[in-house]
Amino acid sequence: MDLLEYQGKQLFARHGVPVPEGAPASSVDDAVKRAREIGFPCVVKAQVQIGGRGKAGGIKVANSVEEAEEHAKAILGMDIRGHTVHELWIEQASDIAAEYYASIVFDRSAKAPLVMLSTKGGMDIEEVAEEDPGAIARLHVDPLLGFQDFHGRRLAFEASVDDDVVRPVGAMLARLYDAFIAEEAMLVEVNPLIVTGDRQVVALDAKVTLDGSALFRHPENEELRDPSAEDPQEKMAQEKGLTYVKLDGDIGILGNGAGLVMSTLDVVALAGGRPANFLDAGGGSKAEAIVDAVEVILSDEKVKAVLFNIFGGITRCDEVARGLIEAFAQVKPSVPFVVRLNGTNEEEGLALLAEADLPNVTVEKTMDDAAARVVERAAA
């Protein structure tokens, strides 16, 4: 779950991370009121879950009430790389002497948090990594050991931060790591992390991604969810209790079990197709779950064909067949379906499909044949 900047800063503040004074606003009047309270100069910042706000004109300095009003009117409703601005963050202007970059991300390959620090803050870190990879200091943290003081000093020295802020930068990284662990985040990024004129280290930005699967342990963070920013198919699937990830292709995929679904994606890709989603109906799927899955898949207008790949273990093939028959009665799909049933009650399931004689449904015996056929039907 991605947070807006101001939400990330509010989360940082819980863990003692210094951030500039600020307040959210959702209207021009709110923005003017907040600007008066904070004082001038202040900064009017667009709140969208995308980078490049400054280049797009989504961050403006206001030196008066009139300028605050003018900037709020210009930024609210602005489109920034496909994201419409509905909220603002009005923030106390900062005295910036230096801009650094800091982030903590969970590195799945190393199975450990990765802490990064660079003195090239305020820039696209991807460009820095490509043009000057040595400018980014990196350190994997043993989850059992945690982030130690010497970790902060090592990163600060390797990144060549100014000598007088080596310890403050290390302390900042320690607080960010505390927030990362305590909130069960997948990413914590500050760009820029600034050094002020009086040599204070402050988080001027906040990009935070929380682990949505861990939200049940953090009910206080559930209210930070922004439904308008969520993919409608993924939101629908979550409400129906389905495991669904939207992809860029046009072939809908349903299977039972994450391993089988992943294999199905690979086989479809090898056959020349482009999967539109990952959807795991789960083991023991009942007819109702299959109906829900079909509704979710077909809610994506890009889907041109659908592949059902079911291996019956605790999932019964006849239940899947009943669910598909019911889905056709309720949803009335207009795209072709290719079905492969194998395993528990396979013969009963195939008999039900044959008897129902559903329109535009093809049954195949193997996964390879099913993948080839669905790619063919999607291209027709």
Side-chain angles (χ1 to χ4, degrees):
M1 182 176 77
D2 296 325
L3 304 188
L4 296 169
E5 174 197 359
Y6 81 88
Q7 295 171 328
K9 285 180 174 176
Q10 290 171 342
L11 183 145
F12 283 174
R14 296 182 204 163
H15 299 275
V17 176
V19 295
E21 179 186 354
S26 56
S27 69
V28 174
D29 289 342
D30 281 347
V32 172
K33 178 182 177 182
R34 300 303 185 190
R36 288 182 187 274
E37 294 170 350
I38 291 168
F40 299 96
C42 65
V43 186
V44 182
K45 308 176 85 172
Q47 296 300 289
V48 287
Q49 294 174 353
I50 195 72
R53 293 174 299 165
K55 295 178 182 177
I59 299 177
K60 298 285 188 182
V61 177
N63 293 294
S64 65
V65 171
E66 292 76 20
E67 287 188 5
E69 182 177 8
E70 177 185 343
H71 296 331
K73 286 180 179 178
I75 296 174
L76 277 172
M78 176 185 290
D79 182 277
I80 299 179
R81 297 169 60 186
H83 293 253
T84 302
V85 180
H86 299 292
E87 291 185 89
L88 302 172
W89 177 245
I90 313 301
E91 183 174 86
Q92 183 182 58
S94 298
D95 177 18
I96 302 175
E99 295 185 353
Y100 298 159
Y101 169 90
S103 72
I104 305 169
V105 63
F106 188 77
D107 185 345
R108 294 181 184 276
S109 61
K111 300 179 182 178
L114 172 64
V115 184
M116 292 182 281
L117 179 67
S118 175
T119 55
K120 294 191 175 183
M123 301 170 59
D124 291 332
I125 198 64
E126 293 81 6
E127 293 182 10
V128 176
E130 183 176 345
E131 297 173 4
D132 188 10
I136 304 174
R138 298 173 173 85
L139 174 73
H140 284 100
V141 178
D142 185 328
L144 297 179
L145 178 64
F147 192 88
Q148 302 295 314
D149 288 345
F150 73 87
H151 288 146
R153 293 193 295 273
R154 172 181 162 182
L155 284 163
F157 283 124
E158 288 185 4
S160 300
V161 306
D162 295 336
D163 292 344
D164 64 324
V165 292
V166 166
R167 289 187 180 277
V169 167
M172 170 66 82
L173 293 175
R175 293 189 184 102
L176 290 173
Y177 187 85
D178 286 345
F180 179 85
I181 296 300
E183 304 294 343
E184 297 193 69
M186 302 303 292
L187 169 69
V188 164
E189 181 180 87
V190 181
N191 188 22
L193 176 72
I194 65 167
V195 179
T196 64
D198 58 358
R199 312 309 287 171
Q200 301 297 310
V201 180
V202 177
L204 193 61
D205 191 23
K207 182 177 181 181
V208 178
T209 299
L210 301 177
D211 183 354
S213 300
L215 283 178
F216 72 96
R217 288 192 289 267
H218 304 274
E220 71 280 6
N221 290 337
E222 181 67 35
E223 63 186 27
L224 301 178
R225 185 183 295 277
D226 180 9
S228 65
E230 296 178 1
D231 179 85
Q233 279 80 43
E234 293 187 357
K235 182 181 177 183
M236 182 190 301
Q238 184 181 32
E239 292 172 350
K240 294 179 180 295
L242 299 170
T243 302
Y244 174 94
V245 179
K246 187 173 181 179
L247 303 175
D248 295 329
D250 57 7
I251 296 177
I253 305 292
L254 180 141
N256 59 313
L260 179 62
V261 180
M262 291 296 292
S263 299
T264 306
L265 298 180
D266 290 340
V267 173
V268 168
L270 287 172
R274 298 174 61 243
N277 65 271
F278 170 107
L279 198 159
D280 174 13
S285 298
K286 300 297 183 181
E288 296 81 2
I290 301 301
V291 174
D292 289 341
V294 171
E295 290 179 346
V296 170
I297 291 173
L298 295 182
S299 67
D300 183 354
E301 295 179 353
K302 293 190 301 182
V303 170
K304 296 180 180 177
V306 179
L307 172 58
F308 267 48
N309 188 19
I310 302 297
F311 182 79
I314 58 175
T315 300
R316 290 167 38 191
C317 291
D318 58 327
E319 279 288 340
V320 173
R322 288 190 181 92
L324 184 58
I325 293 168
E326 182 61 29
F328 266 69
Q330 294 184 21
V331 184
K332 296 181 171 55
S334 59
V335 301
F337 277 61
V338 176
V339 180
R340 178 249 185 176
L341 300 178
N342 182 246
T344 306
N345 289 6
E346 170 188 344
E347 293 182 1
E348 292 86 342
L350 293 174
L352 287 169
L353 291 179
E355 181 180 350
D357 193 22
L358 300 175
N360 225 3
V361 173
T362 305
V363 176
E364 295 290 347
K365 291 185 177 181
T366 69
M367 189 189 305
D368 289 338
D369 289 344
R373 179 57 62 90
V374 79
V375 170
E376 174 188 311
R377 299 298 300 275

